[in-house]
Amino acid sequence: MRRITTIAVAVTAASALALAGCGRADEGAANTGSGGGSTAGSTGGGTAGFPADSLIGVSLPQKTSENWVLAENLFKTDLAGAGFKTDVQFANNGVAEQQNIVQSMVTKGAKVIVIGPIDPAQLGTQLQAAKDAGATVISYDRLLSNSPNVDYFAAYDNVKVGELQGQALLDGLKAKKPNGPYNIEIFAGAPIDGNATSFYDGAMKVLKPKIDDGTLKVVSGQTGFKQAATADWKGENAQKRMDTLLAGSYTNAQLDGVLSPNDTIARAILTSVKQAGKPIPVVTGQDSEVESVKSIVAGEQYSTINKDTRKLVKATVQMVKDLQAGKQPQVTDTSSYNNGTKVVPALLLPPMIVTKANVKEAYADDPTLSKLTNG
Amino acid sequence: MKHLKAVFGNDTRQFGMIFALIALIVFFQVRTNGLLLTPTNVINLFQGNSYILVLAIGMVLVIIAGHIDLSVGSVAAAVGISVAIAMRDWSLPWGLAILFGLLIGAIIGAWQGFWVAYVGIPAFIVTLAGMLIFRGLNQKIGDSDSIPVPNGYQVIGRGYLPEFGPLTGYNNLTLIIGLALIAAIVTGALRTRRNQRKIGADMAPMWTVVVRLLLICGAILAVTLLFASGRRGTSFPVSGLILGVLVLIYSFVSSRTVIGRHVYAVGGNKHAAELSGVKSKQINFLVMMNMSILAALAGMMFVARSTASGPSDGVNWELDAIAAVFIGGAAVSGGVGTVVGSIVGGLVMAVLNNGMQLLSVGADDTSIIKGLVLLLAVAFDVYNKSQGRPSLIGRLTSGRRDRPAVEQPAPADPARNISETVHTEA
């Protein structure tokens, strides 16, 4: 026994000696340069600027819609065009993958990390790591919450989007039939997406008074956000719900209009109505998806929203360029976007409603969509 | 060649995967210009995967017993949200909240174990139902929303060991843990040798033992240094420590205790096990219950790291855990597998993921590559078994096992023999 102990102690001691050779790495080998230390503590970050060929990380959510794919390509070309090294990644397997992606961007020494979060509340650890490494975080399209380490927010004004949708529904109904009451149904987006609540709240701001005074009648009675929600933003879920509503509430009544939060859901609703052999109601939308723009031109879907991804990416890349040059990026709102721990300076772009009436002007400078509207 | 094999302790099957892991690490270390093995990245690697590895520990036991558990992700999510709510709405202190979470895990586990062991419904069905039930429960309890958790609690997912003692340029506590581990391994090896001498067993030459110890201790020393030399305030992560303790406990239980051996026996051949006096129902119940408790722990660790519990927590975790177990050498038919093997399998996936993210490979390609690795790893294993060879590494280092099992009691062997006997009879 004693011999064993002696040998064990000797080996341990030898190992301990081996340790004495080298010391702790300065700030972790990944953090090139010492700019990290200076920005810690300041809200804006980047006041000192950084080299023009630095790495810029862009972490996007799941690759589920045309818009995100477009954003991916635009970020790649625009950032590369400005001379930056880029790393643009989707997190198709969910939150845990996005956490790892953001973390590896920090490890690679990205100076600015643009994040379109899947779940905005679950990246706290990675944002802290970004802050510790001196990187600036821009929250893209959805506001990162539950962390003080968010520097800027770039997005379209989503409450405004909802208001425009609500107003479009009213206008469409009036154009069809001058006087109410109108029978409508309400659809909302995915419950975990904070933007879905913004769209819904904005739309209800416009619709609620009309429901209360009897101009609008929701025949199914399903007006709450949770009742109206569409899991995962999936068309098939919306279609199933519309089938049920038509069978349950509209065997005798006529459906005049449907509030839909986006184009995918709007088309699902239209499919369901057509299959049931009912006349086409006024249906709103959002995102300017190719199929929906065709549908508007054909007079089926009533409206969509143009939130040009090109403009939002351009504005975000401009922020990155300003940060690189050591300038304060331009923001439009410094008071209303509180993420739970701090007010995040926001750059908000105005959304635009598109109906058959203005579809041509709306997409005049969009290379893909303008072909559809000029027919 | 025979001696070379002896250096690696003769468990060639497991060694094959370790070899693959080392090859992967070297590959990515070179391709990322040294980014892979920086302290920050290695710490992240552990923090970002420890919850999957915790699941793998439970999953390997479930799979050894011949079952599967598809509900772990949903169980983790249901427990995570309950704990988050308990802390927010009832102001439960976080220590108690963790116990509360483990208790919920145990109750859920008892529920699933009851259906599997005592009603006799296949675990696939029971846990498929559980997957739906507990996912729904997560969204119902949490209102499909994310709920933040307090800072103290976040320690189990993103915390570090404290700094204390003299300024050595390293995290002292990490160093102490590393050195203690080395001391324990050396002591253990010497004691085994002494016992062998006492009972007059056939012993490996002294130099192989020494070389082997030097290799293992060198590796531990290198890893310790890596963890200890990160930015000040960082160290070996707390989540890694939890994982390490669990690995030690479960390796011991599965290979050296009666109950552990019974799990292998039930999975290898249920009827033979029952005839030998193994209470198979009890074993099945315990295995399923244990899985849910570990899933609860994994869920809580993830929530702590994410700083919030959300409605999509745990999606696809069961697949990650199952993949880790099979890459680690477990058999679909049950009776075969080891805890350490599964951890190595999980690390192979983790390094693959991390390395490809560092190389900016897209999520689409990453998924394809991971799928192929899983398929090839298992195919490799099946092929070698059908050839009657332990593995490629075994063949390279001269073929068959020619030494008595006394020195290295390979945990999977007895059960594997049973299952292989059954296989040839059928």
Side-chain angles (χ1 to χ4, degrees):
Chain A
M1 195 63 220
R2 167 151 301 173
R3 208 168 74 100
I4 291 177
T5 320
T6 320
I7 296 178
V9 167
V11 171
T12 314
S15 316
L17 279 177
L19 296 181
C22 34
R24 200 161 207 161
D26 185 24
E27 271 281 275
N31 310 336
T32 47
S34 56
S38 62
T39 51
S42 75
T43 46
T47 39
F50 50 81
D53 61 345
S54 300
L55 178 72
I56 308 296
V58 181
S59 165
L60 303 175
Q62 286 109 331
K63 208 172 191 167
T64 46
S65 77
E66 292 173 16
N67 273 319
W68 287 115
V69 180
L70 181 60
E72 178 196 21
N73 294 330
L74 289 169
F75 269 120
K76 275 185 183 157
T77 51
D78 289 8
L79 285 171
F84 296 109
K85 289 202 228 23
T86 60
D87 182 12
V88 185
Q89 301 234 24
F90 281 102
N92 285 336
N93 295 320
V95 177
E97 184 169 26
Q98 188 165 37
Q99 292 175 342
N100 291 336
I101 286 173
V102 173
Q103 191 82 60
S104 54
M105 286 170 178
V106 174
T107 307
K108 280 184 277 187
K111 285 295 171 197
V112 179
I113 302 180
V114 177
I115 304 174
I118 297 172
D119 186 328
Q122 293 193 297
L123 293 169
T125 305
Q126 292 70 35
L127 299 181
Q128 183 66 49
K131 177 107 189 178
D132 291 344
T136 305
V137 172
I138 300 176
S139 187
Y140 176 85
D141 189 55
R142 302 173 187 169
L143 181 58
L144 289 159
S145 62
N146 191 25
S147 166
N149 305 310
V150 187
D151 298 305
Y152 298 101
F153 178 41
Y156 276 98
D157 187 340
N158 289 323
V159 177
K160 183 82 185 154
V161 168
E163 289 172 16
L164 288 173
Q165 288 173 334
Q167 193 55 49
L169 182 63
L170 288 181
D171 294 349
L173 290 171
K174 207 160 268 166
K176 219 172 177 186
K177 162 167 101 165
N179 288 309
Y182 307 104
N183 292 335
I184 64 159
E185 288 300 330
I186 293 169
F187 280 70
I192 60 165
D193 184 351
N195 284 354
T197 333
S198 303
F199 302 144
Y200 172 82
D201 290 344
M204 288 311 269
K205 219 191 272 179
V206 178
L207 298 180
K208 188 87 192 345
K210 300 289 180 188
I211 295 175
D212 290 345
D213 73 13
T215 319
L216 299 177
K217 188 166 173 238
V218 181
V219 179
S220 68
Q222 299 177 3
T223 54
F225 176 74
K226 292 199 77 179
Q227 295 168 308
T230 308
D232 302 330
W233 288 103
K234 275 190 186 157
E236 58 184 89
N237 295 336
Q239 192 170 339
K240 272 181 217 151
R241 177 160 174 259
M242 193 70 232
D243 290 345
T244 316
L245 289 175
L246 287 173
S249 309
Y250 294 94
T251 38
N252 299 316
Q254 186 187 331
L255 177 64
D256 297 312
V258 181
L259 174 78
S260 158
N262 80 356
D263 284 348
T264 312
I265 292 175
R267 293 197 305 274
I269 291 168
L270 287 169
T271 309
S272 168
V273 171
K274 278 189 232 165
Q275 277 173 2
K278 302 267 180 190
I280 288 174
V282 176
V283 181
T284 60
Q286 168 180 211
D287 289 342
S288 303
E289 289 185 4
V290 172
E291 289 306 315
S292 282
V293 172
K294 283 186 197 162
S295 175
I296 289 175
V297 173
E300 290 187 342
Q301 186 174 327
Y302 178 74
S303 71
T304 185
I305 300 274
N306 188 11
K307 298 196 300 185
D308 193 345
T309 306
R310 264 162 283 267
K311 283 188 190 152
L312 187 55
V313 171
K314 199 171 274 173
T316 312
V317 171
Q318 187 55 48
M319 274 185 158
V320 176
K321 285 186 197 159
D322 287 347
L323 288 166
Q324 186 273 318
K327 283 192 290 184
Q328 202 72 27
Q330 185 210 342
V331 291
T332 57
D333 183 326
T334 50
S335 60
S336 48
Y337 282 82
N338 188 329
N339 77 347
T341 45
K342 76 175 267 197
V343 175
V344 184
L347 174 66
L348 296 177
L349 302 184
M352 174 188 186
I353 191 85
V354 181
T355 62
K356 198 172 181 180
N358 68 344
V359 70
K360 219 166 200 169
E361 306 95 86
Y363 302 121
D365 44 359
D366 185 313
T368 341
L369 295 176
S370 57
K371 278 181 218 143
L372 302 172
T373 55
N374 287 333
Chain B
M1 277 321 250
K2 188 174 148 194
H3 293 306
L4 177 60
K5 201 178 141 195
V7 168
F8 294 120
N10 272 20
D11 197 348
T12 41
R13 179 195 185 85
Q14 204 151 304
F15 178 70
M17 261 307 134
I18 294 181
F19 206 72
L21 180 61
I22 294 172
L24 263 182
I25 291 175
V26 170
F27 173 77
F28 282 119
Q29 175 72 356
V30 172
R31 289 298 304 273
T32 59
N33 296 324
L35 269 186
L36 187 79
L37 291 182
T38 53
T40 334
N41 193 55
V42 176
I43 289 170
N44 292 337
L45 195 73
F46 267 73
Q47 279 187 338
N49 292 287
S50 50
Y51 59 94
I52 292 292
L53 297 177
V54 168
L55 286 179
I57 295 176
M59 192 64 82
V60 71
L61 294 176
V62 170
I63 286 174
I64 290 169
H67 304 295
I68 195 96
D69 192 333
L70 302 176
S71 69
V72 291
S74 295
V75 172
V79 171
I81 200 90
S82 310
V83 169
I85 293 230
M87 285 187 289
R88 189 190 64 178
D89 294 352
W90 314 338
S91 342
L92 204 61
W94 64 269
L96 282 181
I98 292 173
L99 289 180
F100 173 67
L102 292 175
L103 180 71
I104 303 177
I107 294 171
I108 292 176
W111 158 265
Q112 307 211 97
F114 165 75
W115 289 103
V116 172
Y118 296 106
V119 186
I121 298 176
F124 188 94
I125 309 290
V126 172
T127 58
L128 185 61
M131 187 177 176
L132 299 169
I133 295 171
F134 301 114
R135 172 64 50 197
L137 220 51
N138 160 281
Q139 294 176 351
K140 199 175 172 69
I141 295 171
D143 233 5
S144 294
D145 204 358
S146 300
I147 294 170
V149 291
N151 279 328
Y153 171 82
Q154 292 172 10
V155 166
I156 62 166
R158 57 183 289 211
Y160 296 106
L161 305 173
E163 300 277 353
F164 81 104
L167 272 173
T168 53
Y170 293 102
N171 177 277
N172 294 333
L173 215 48
T174 308
L175 294 187
I176 291 173
I177 292 174
L179 294 181
L181 200 58
I182 290 177
I185 287 173
V186 172
T187 316
L190 292 176
R191 189 171 293 156
T192 312
R193 223 178 144 70
R194 204 177 52 164
N195 288 341
Q196 282 170 354
R197 187 173 299 129
K198 208 185 278 170
I199 62 172
D202 189 8
M203 288 195 301
M206 187 64 189
W207 73 269
T208 62
V209 177
V210 171
V211 171
R212 184 164 175 232
L213 280 180
L214 280 180
L215 281 178
I216 293 178
C217 294
I220 293 177
L221 197 62
V223 172
T224 306
L225 283 183
L226 201 53
F227 278 115
S229 63
R231 189 167 47 82
R232 191 164 168 77
T234 63
S235 69
F236 190 66
V238 172
S239 51
L241 199 62
I242 295 175
L243 174 68
V245 171
L246 288 177
V247 169
L248 289 181
I249 295 175
Y250 278 90
S251 300
F252 177 78
V253 170
S254 66
S255 61
R256 305 287 165 92
T257 65
V258 172
I259 202 160
R261 303 314 304 168
H262 281 183
V263 175
Y264 281 97
V266 169
N269 184 333
K270 191 175 165 210
H271 297 294
E274 278 173 351
L275 290 174
S276 328
V278 175
K279 296 194 176 93
S280 69
K281 283 184 181 170
Q282 233 171 49
I283 295 294
N284 286 337
F285 180 82
L286 284 178
V287 162
M288 295 309 290
M289 179 152 152
N290 175 61
M291 178 74 259
S292 292
I293 296 175
L294 287 180
L297 180 62
M300 289 190 285
M301 286 164 73
F302 177 78
V303 167
R305 173 172 145 90
S306 306
T307 68
S309 168
S312 56
D313 287 1
V315 172
N316 289 348
W317 287 7
E318 59 282 346
L319 303 182
D320 287 337
I322 292 169
V325 170
F326 285 130
I327 292 179
V332 186
S333 51
V336 181
T338 59
V339 170
V340 174
S342 306
I343 296 295
V344 173
L347 284 176
V348 166
M349 281 301 207
V351 170
L352 206 58
N353 237 343
N354 178 259
M356 287 195 284
Q357 273 159 7
L358 288 178
L359 290 177
S360 309
V361 177
D364 34 14
D365 292 335
T366 306
S367 188
I368 294 172
I369 293 170
K370 277 164 68 184
L372 288 175
V373 166
L374 171 63
L375 191 63
L376 291 179
V378 178
F380 178 70
D381 219 48
V382 169
Y383 172 78
N384 281 315
K385 246 193 277 174
S386 72
Q387 302 292 303
R389 280 186 291 254
S391 74
L392 183 63
I393 306 300
R395 201 169 58 188
L396 283 178
T397 53
S398 99
R400 61 185 60 86
R401 289 163 174 265
D402 49 4
R403 288 189 309 134
V406 187
E407 197 216 0
Q408 273 289 321
D413 275 359
R416 194 192 301 161
N417 291 342
I418 295 176
S419 72
E420 273 166 11
T421 322
V422 174
H423 194 69
T424 42
E425 275 166 7

